[in-house]
Amino acid sequence: MKISHAAERAGLPVKTVRYYADIGLVAPTDRSASGYRSYDQDAIQKLIFIRRARAFGFSITKCRELLGLYVDDSRSSADVKEIAKRRLAEIEEKQKELQYLHDELAHLITACRGDDRPDCPIISGLAQPA
Amino acid sequence: MKISHAAERAGLPVKTVRYYADIGLVAPTDRSASGYRSYDQDAIQKLIFIRRARAFGFSITKCRELLGLYVDDSRSSADVKEIAKRRLAEIEEKQKELQYLHDELAHLITACRGDDRPDCPIISGLAQPA
DNA sequence: CCTTGACCTTCCAGTTACTGGAGAGCCTAT
DNA sequence: ATAGGCTCTCCAGTAACTGGAAGGTCAAGG
């Protein structure tokens, strides 16, 4: 399967698939005589795996790690669970931050009359050193 | 005030303050004879403003826009409110996404026994095309 | 007067994960 | 034969810094 077909199957842009090949994350199964990359079902499965893991916010480095576990039948599920749990904790941390930002910004917005006068609690709120 | 002092006051790394000067976001008030950047209270206030706005997730471009409104006494607070509201909507969007990720990942984790056996719902969950 | 050490300067490279584009080769159909 | 739609490689750029090298400046101590 040529790259555009593989990319479509995996739900990724062609450029990204080529990029993943470049950085050695998912190598094409083969190359045609004219140099075209060729992907089989197994490689596409890996691409899908990466896409999903990326969507979960795993970095390329972590994806590499997970992919190693994915292809390695002898890995324990404890390893994977550990990585996933750390990632979950990161997500929860991010959620807390975002909630804080949300509340503070919402507060500033409600405090702002939004008329033509120049004094604005959002601007003055942002200028606080806190 | 020299850069390290100003940076400390603003709560930013020196490198970042220099970077902001380079990109013309917050210019130093002055330069000493020997070329040292010098910042006055007004410039530090702008740096604080930027730091806070960045913490709210505003991009440098948006910060530039906001800073323009900040220094411009003739701006209406409606302008600022509009920008802030859009930003709030973005934050809420991000929150929803994050919640979805969180739930799906948490689900995979609880489904995983986390023992020494190789079969792992997290791995197989990631490998789903969905 | 000289040196030491903490500053400061500029410039260059690297980070993350791609994305866009140029220029050129290949393949299939009409 | 040629038109189009692929594909290739390579280069550059994105956002917002961060790290490091090489070198200038300044105040204090010996």
Side-chain angles (χ1 to χ4, degrees):
Chain A
M1 209 175 315
K2 276 184 280 188
I3 197 166
S4 67
H5 201 172
E8 195 184 356
R9 289 275 180 103
L12 287 169
V14 171
K15 274 271 185 185
T16 301
V17 176
R18 220 176 261 129
Y19 171 71
Y20 287 167
D22 285 353
I23 63 171
L25 184 59
V26 180
T29 316
D30 205 1
R31 289 272 189 157
S32 78
S34 51
Y36 287 14
R37 289 172 186 82
S38 168
Y39 294 84
D40 65 5
Q41 202 48 50
D42 189 56
I44 288 167
Q45 201 53 47
K46 285 181 194 165
L47 288 171
I48 290 169
F49 181 89
I50 297 297
R51 175 173 56 75
R52 298 260 307 155
R54 291 283 302 128
F56 273 101
F58 290 100
S59 68
I60 292 287
T61 302
K62 275 278 171 282
C63 284
R64 218 182 275 273
E65 200 177 326
L66 284 168
L67 197 61
L69 296 168
Y70 172 61
V71 298
D72 175 16
D73 280 347
S74 74
R75 87 281 194 257
S76 74
S77 58
D79 296 339
V80 184
K81 190 166 186 171
E82 210 35 63
I83 295 173
K85 275 166 79 176
R86 273 203 296 277
R87 180 64 204 145
L88 189 64
E90 281 166 36
I91 288 174
E92 283 168 359
E93 188 54 42
K94 192 84 193 162
Q95 279 184 316
K96 260 188 268 176
E97 273 174 44
L98 220 48
Q99 190 59 47
Y100 176 77
L101 287 181
H102 177 274
D103 293 351
E104 202 171 343
L105 192 53
H107 174 71
L108 291 177
I109 287 171
T110 57
C112 176
R113 277 191 318 279
D115 55 20
D116 286 339
R117 304 207 10 232
D119 59 289
C120 171
I122 298 169
I123 287 288
S124 42
L126 285 174
Q128 292 312 306
Chain B
M1 208 177 312
K2 276 183 281 186
I3 197 166
S4 67
H5 202 173
E8 195 184 356
R9 288 274 179 102
L12 287 169
V14 170
K15 274 269 185 188
T16 301
V17 175
R18 220 176 262 129
Y19 172 70
Y20 287 167
D22 285 352
I23 64 172
L25 185 58
V26 179
T29 316
D30 205 1
R31 288 273 189 156
S32 76
S34 51
Y36 287 16
R37 288 174 187 81
S38 168
Y39 292 84
D40 66 4
Q41 201 49 49
D42 189 56
I44 288 167
Q45 200 54 45
K46 286 182 194 164
L47 288 171
I48 290 169
F49 182 88
I50 298 297
R51 174 172 56 76
R52 297 261 307 158
R54 291 283 303 128
F56 272 101
F58 290 99
S59 69
I60 291 286
T61 302
K62 276 275 169 284
C63 283
R64 220 181 274 272
E65 199 176 327
L66 285 168
L67 198 61
L69 296 168
Y70 171 62
V71 298
D72 175 16
D73 280 346
S74 75
R75 87 280 192 262
S76 74
S77 57
D79 297 340
V80 183
K81 191 168 185 169
E82 210 36 61
I83 295 173
K85 276 166 78 175
R86 274 204 295 277
R87 181 64 203 144
L88 188 65
E90 283 165 35
I91 289 174
E92 282 168 1
E93 189 53 42
K94 191 81 193 165
Q95 279 184 315
K96 260 188 265 176
E97 274 174 45
L98 220 48
Q99 189 60 47
Y100 178 76
L101 286 182
H102 177 275
D103 293 351
E104 203 172 341
L105 192 54
H107 173 73
L108 291 177
I109 287 172
T110 55
C112 175
R113 276 191 318 279
D115 55 19
D116 286 340
R117 300 199 25 220
D119 60 292
C120 170
I122 299 170
I123 287 289
S124 41
L126 286 174
Q128 292 313 304

